[in-house]
């Protein structure tokens, strides 16, 4: 079984740059939920694991890229709670395995690969039928855990916050975390999602559609920031690296460069630009620890 740290800690971020902008930021340390299944990965897997168990499945299958934190987390969660796991990886196999895939296999996950053209059709019934023919029955968890059950798990986060706030921010890859968090907010609170994808404007429609499926309606208390992707998913720039190093020096916290650092860079930039009114209290969700490279 998993020994989870729920609710995850809430820590005040003391930084004169934010204070000079009149903004107060608190870190929701979801990266500390569990060493192997941290952050929003646990929140998105939680109800999927329960559903898989109740439906009588013994195997989980999910999709991800070669550096996917979701692949890592699914492998670890499956091992901890008694599921076999299959990871369908985008692209070709490269040996030796990188740290993320080596972690997954060390936690019992079997890996298979789809070429990028087929991977883009991974939700097609024909592709899924082919996987079932090869591997047998499985419970399907979509890439990133981004389904209705994943969003419902993320919707539980705001209730853990024991202080008033105006705005809650999270990184966005597939949209489930933003969809859920926004659905769990009280009146007067708003959410901002920072897309890590270049051209991530399409995520606005995806988040709204997921909210309609999971909660019956799309809320109007959130928006998407698309200016802080730093070149796109798994891309970084010297400016981002400098921010990460400076943040660690000031706060003794190493940021995940794939997701969290891009969000926090955006918060600092918008604060400096005066986007937030003075006195705004912001919750920044640290969705996971640094990604191994």
């Amino acid at each position: 079984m998993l020994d989870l740290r729920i609710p995850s800690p809430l820590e005040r971020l003391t930084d004169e740059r934010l204070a000079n902008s009149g903004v107060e930021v608190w870190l929701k340390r979801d990266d500390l939920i569990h060493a192997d299944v941290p952050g929003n990965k646990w929140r998105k897997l939680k109800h999927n694991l329960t559903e898989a168990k109740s439906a009588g499945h013994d195997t989980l299958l999910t999709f991800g890229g070669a550096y996917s934190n979701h692949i890592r987390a699914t492998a670890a969660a499956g091992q901890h709670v008694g599921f076999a796991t299959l990871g369908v990886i985008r692209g070709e196999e490269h040996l030796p395995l990188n740290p993320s895939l080596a972690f997954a296999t060390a936690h019992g996950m079997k890996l298979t690969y789809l070429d990028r053209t087929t991977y883009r059709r991974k939700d097609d019934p024909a592709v899924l039928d082919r996987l079932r023919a090869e591997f047998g029955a499985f419970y399907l968890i979509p890439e990133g855990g981004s389904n209705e059950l994943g969003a419902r798990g993320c919707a539980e986060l705001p209730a853990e916050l024991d202080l008033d706030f105006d705005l809650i921010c999270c990184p966005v890859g597939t949209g489930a975390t933003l969809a859920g968090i926004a659905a769990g907010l009280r009146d007067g609170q708003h959410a901002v999602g920072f897309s890590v994808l270049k051209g991530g404007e399409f995520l606005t429609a995806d988040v709204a559609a997921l909210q309609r499926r999971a909660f019956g309606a799309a809320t109007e208390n959130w928006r998407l920031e698309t200016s802080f992707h730093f070149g796109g998913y798994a891309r970084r720039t010297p400016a981002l690296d400098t921010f990460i190093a400076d943040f660690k020096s000031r706060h003794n916290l190493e940021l995940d460069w794939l997701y969290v650092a891009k969000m926090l860079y955006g918060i600092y930039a918008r604060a400096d630009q005066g986007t937030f009114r003075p006195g705004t209290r912001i919750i920044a969700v640290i969705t996971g620890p640094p990604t191994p490279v």
Side-chain angles (χ1 to χ4, degrees), residues 10-290:
L10 188 63
E11 301 173 354
R12 174 76 180 269
L13 180 58
T14 303
D15 194 308
E16 71 276 6
R17 296 169 295 176
L18 297 170
N20 291 339
S21 299
V23 173
E24 183 180 315
V25 175
W26 292 71
L27 304 180
K28 177 63 168 164
R29 295 293 305 275
D30 268 16
D31 57 311
L32 301 178
I33 286 177
H34 190 276
D36 293 338
V37 195
N40 64 342
K41 305 309 176 191
W42 166 251
R43 295 188 188 277
K44 290 190 284 187
L45 286 171
K46 173 185 175 181
H47 294 301
N48 277 291
L49 294 173
T50 300
E51 177 64 22
K53 186 72 71 175
S54 66
H57 287 280
D58 59 12
T59 301
L60 309 174
L61 181 143
T62 196
F63 297 90
Y67 288 91
S68 168
N69 288 325
H70 170 70
I71 288 289
R72 291 170 54 95
T74 302
Q79 185 179 69
H80 278 290
V81 301
F83 287 99
T85 55
L86 295 166
V88 183
I89 309 304
R90 180 180 63 248
E92 296 73 35
E93 181 181 31
H94 294 282
L95 296 175
L97 297 175
N98 68 43
S100 293
L101 296 183
F103 176 96
T105 58
H107 285 75
M109 177 173 275
K110 182 174 183 178
L111 303 180
T112 188
Y113 297 81
L114 289 180
D115 65 83
R116 293 175 184 273
T117 299
T118 305
Y119 192 90
R120 285 193 289 269
R121 299 187 292 105
K122 61 185 178 297
D123 297 325
D124 287 0
V127 174
L128 296 175
D129 286 345
R130 192 178 87 190
L131 290 169
R132 289 190 180 94
E134 182 173 356
F135 298 109
F138 53 77
Y139 178 86
L140 174 64
I141 300 176
E143 185 172 21
S146 190
N147 62 4
E148 294 90 330
L149 294 174
R152 290 173 193 164
C154 293
E156 298 168 2
L157 184 152
E160 297 177 11
L161 301 169
D162 57 1
L163 80 166
D164 292 329
F165 62 93
D166 306 290
L167 190 67
I168 185 166
C169 298
C170 66
V172 175
T174 58
T177 303
L178 176 60
I181 286 175
L185 295 178
R186 299 193 301 271
D187 289 344
Q189 297 174 335
H190 293 79
V192 177
F194 287 80
S195 172
V196 302
L197 308 179
K198 186 176 182 179
E201 291 80 7
F202 72 92
L203 287 163
T204 296
D206 285 1
V207 171
L210 183 53
Q211 284 192 321
R212 285 191 289 270
R213 295 197 305 272
F215 309 108
T219 63
E220 297 182 354
N221 59 353
W222 59 273
R223 63 181 177 86
L224 196 67
E225 276 273 10
T226 59
S227 300
F228 299 99
H229 54 74
F230 294 87
Y233 183 73
R235 300 291 181 87
R236 58 201 300 175
T237 67
L240 183 66
D241 289 340
T242 297
F243 176 81
I244 292 170
D246 179 69
F247 194 93
K248 184 176 182 180
S249 175
R250 291 173 183 261
H251 305 293
N252 194 32
L253 177 61
E254 185 175 356
L255 301 176
D256 167 48
W257 67 273
L258 280 175
Y259 292 94
V260 175
K262 295 181 178 184
M263 170 196 66
L264 278 170
Y265 188 105
I267 291 172
Y268 275 80
R270 292 302 189 220
D272 185 61
Q273 295 161 7
T275 301
F276 310 121
R277 61 172 176 76
T280 298
R281 179 179 283 169
I282 300 172
I283 306 294
V285 183
I286 309 300
T287 51

